[in-house]
Amino acid sequence: MAHIHLGEGSFPLWALVLWSVLGIGLLGVATYRVRKNGIKTSQVALAGIGAAASFAVFQLNLPVWGGIHMNLTGLVGILAGPLLGAVIALVVNVFSAALGHGAVGLLGANVLVNATEAIIAYYAFRTLMRTDWDVFPASASAATLGLSAGAVLMGVIIVVSGVNGSALPRSDLAIAVAGMVGLNLGVAVVEGLLTGFIVQFLASIRPDLVPGVTRTERETADGVSA
């Protein structure tokens, strides 16, 4: 989903420093809370699988408007949680940048974008499940919401930072970026639906792997009436 595909040196130095500091701060909080609260073995396994799946999908890039792709960060956030979701966002972006997919200097900005997707998807899913939503609509809606937030944040980061060497005035840049964000919002819906099917399938065979799913929702996912 949302990912800044600009090359090295595209952002001015102050913007690189700002987004890097914010990204490091977010990761610092996530790492501290993971170390303090600990994590379950199942979460570690899910984090590993989620990171591998996200990285693989990340590389399937469509050369449209600078490049669009799915990244499964909404799914990662729902299953692994917001803390590990943020760490996975870093891991996936580091390895992707090593392959030339994304600039190293934009790691901070891209981690912010993708971690936001995972965090919002997780909390939205938990909130919807508490209000008696079924697994599929809750996970699909939560993932779509998280991915949409990431797309908007990506656009804000680009417009606020500006692009070195661009002849476009800031207003024209905002219009161009808005088109890219709109395209990503469309992809968010598709990825949200895919996430919904995956989470519903997992809830039907291994409900213990889906945080926030109660006994009633597990039976519903299995097609068994309570």
Side-chain angles (χ1 to χ4, degrees):
M1 248 300 294
H3 190 249
I4 302 174
H5 293 98
L6 298 173
E8 299 288 358
S10 297
F11 281 1
L13 180 59
W14 68 266
L16 293 179
V17 172
L18 174 61
W19 307 127
S20 295
V21 169
L22 291 177
I24 291 171
L26 176 62
L27 290 169
V29 171
T31 303
Y32 170 77
R33 292 189 58 184
V34 166
R35 290 175 60 88
K36 180 180 179 181
N37 300 330
I39 52 177
K40 299 178 182 178
T41 304
S42 60
Q43 284 183 297
V44 176
L46 283 173
I49 296 172
S54 180
F55 175 74
V57 173
F58 229 70
Q59 311 315 313
L60 302 177
N61 193 43
L62 297 176
V64 179
W65 215 314
I68 59 172
H69 53 76
M70 294 191 292
N71 55 25
L72 301 181
T73 45
L75 177 65
V76 167
I78 291 172
L79 298 180
L83 303 180
L84 288 178
V87 175
I88 290 172
L90 170 66
V91 172
V92 171
N93 274 286
V94 166
F95 279 99
S96 295
L99 295 179
H101 185 174
V104 174
L106 298 180
L107 279 175
N110 278 322
V111 166
L112 281 175
V113 170
N114 297 143
T116 296
E117 295 171 341
I119 292 169
I120 291 180
Y122 171 81
Y123 285 110
F125 177 71
R126 295 299 295 266
T127 299
L128 293 174
M129 291 301 293
R130 291 192 190 101
T131 56
D132 296 327
W133 281 46
D134 290 334
V135 175
F136 174 76
S139 53
S141 299
T144 301
L145 179 61
L147 295 168
S148 297
V152 173
L153 178 59
M154 173 191 67
V156 170
I157 288 176
I158 295 174
V159 173
V160 169
S161 302
V163 179
N164 286 334
S166 174
L168 289 176
R170 192 62 60 96
S171 58
D172 291 343
L173 175 63
I175 293 173
V177 171
M180 179 177 62
V181 170
L183 185 61
N184 277 272
L185 291 177
V187 178
V189 175
V190 175
E191 185 172 341
L193 291 173
L194 176 62
T195 299
F197 284 119
I198 294 174
V199 175
Q200 184 181 46
F201 175 72
L202 287 176
S204 68
I205 60 172
R206 287 293 305 275
D208 56 300
L209 296 181
V210 183
V213 177
T214 64
R215 175 171 164 66
T216 301
E217 282 87 17
R218 292 174 187 180
E219 291 176 346
T220 301
D222 282 327
V224 180
S225 59

